[in-house]
Amino acid sequence: MKKIAVIGAGTMGNGIAHVFSQHGFPVNLVDLHPAQLEKAMGTIGKNLDRQVQKGSVTAEEKQQTLQRIKPVADLQSGVAGSDLIVEAVSENAEIKLNIFRELDQHARPDAILASNTSSISITRIAAATSHPSRVIGMHFMNPVPVMKLVEVINGYATSTSVTHTVTEIARQLDKVPCVVNDYPGFIANRILMPMINEAIISLHEGVAGVEAIDMVMKLGMAHPMGPLQLADFIGLDICLSILKVLHEGFGNPKYAPSPLLVNMVNAGFLGVKSGEGFYKYSPGSRELRVSERFL
Ligand code: CAA
């Protein structure tokens, strides 16, 4: 593996480009919106500054990491010649399927096509291409430079050699790959989202308040964030869409999203990205204040 392309320069895409480049891989970061690419390069620079301050990266390594990332605003030229393409666009099945149809035309025939999807079926994505054996899930966790896990998802037709290559690459990124099969929510979100949903149901039923629910899980189970804060961090719209995938995929009512979650998403209260969810966020401040709606 020599050349990487990352499609999508949002939070996950910029984090994925950051770790590949930090570990020596030249990366094309592809996004159709030049402003998004500019913002992503700024974010990668800030996250590298944080690592320089902590002493885990030198100032020179920071510069080299930035130099190895090339922002490209065109898919065809961005993926040409890449050995591994990691798609990290927004979690929308139609958008992802269209991108994989395009990759099928423009990527090298032996390139590995990976998706960072958190819940869309890899088998379904692979079926949009003419070589489903080279399509695989490579699910990074947010924040990508910090979290050790890469959930590697085998689609129905993924070849063993592709799985082997991708797990090896994850290790080269200093991550720990865990290989799972393609069923709704894979493993990470099949277990995480019902916990988050149960926390929201408990809040809705008045069993406890926002801070108490989060504190129980932080102090009682050593989670770095409580489930409500984590839901805000992930984005309530993403949590809802993953719960819908579980609910529809298994046809089991135990996965039905909390009506409170549905209401909050419909109202545009999406967590950190919209400024308010279970907590209220002010730009530049690390203070965690419970939203007035839950006081
Ligand atoms: N880039 C680089 N480094 C970062 C970073 C970033 N974006 N964000 C945090 N860090 C580093 C900090 O520099 C710090 O480094 P040191 O340990 O060397 O000091 C470390 O991470 C901890 O950061 P902070 O001290 O600023 O803050 P914290 O201790 O509160 O930790 C956190 C922040 C790492 C986000 C922690 O709260 C945490 O682990 N939260 C849970 C995250 C989680 O569960 N992620 C998975 C979400 S699910 C998902 O992503 C998949 C899905 O499909 C929905």
Side-chain angles (χ1 to χ4, degrees), residues 198-210 212-213 258 260 294:
E198 204 58 39
I200 302 172
I201 293 168
S202 306
L203 175 70
H204 197 197
E205 288 176 356
V207 182
V210 170
I213 291 171
S258 155
L260 172 60
F294 298 107

Side-chain angles (χ1 to χ4, degrees), residues 3 41 47 62 84 113 125 132 159 162 165 167 181 253 260 277:
K3 228 179 138 194
M41 292 307 290
N47 286 332
K62 175 195 157 182
L84 168 66
L113 311 183
I125 292 174
S159 80
V162 166
T165 307
T167 51
N181 290 322
L260 172 60

Side-chain angles (χ1 to χ4, degrees), residues 216-238:
V216 166
M217 299 307 287
K218 276 170 71 172
L219 300 187
M221 284 75 187
H223 290 192
M225 285 175 170
L228 299 173
Q229 188 190 354
L230 183 56
D232 275 0
F233 179 68
I234 293 168
L236 301 192
D237 51 341
I238 302 283

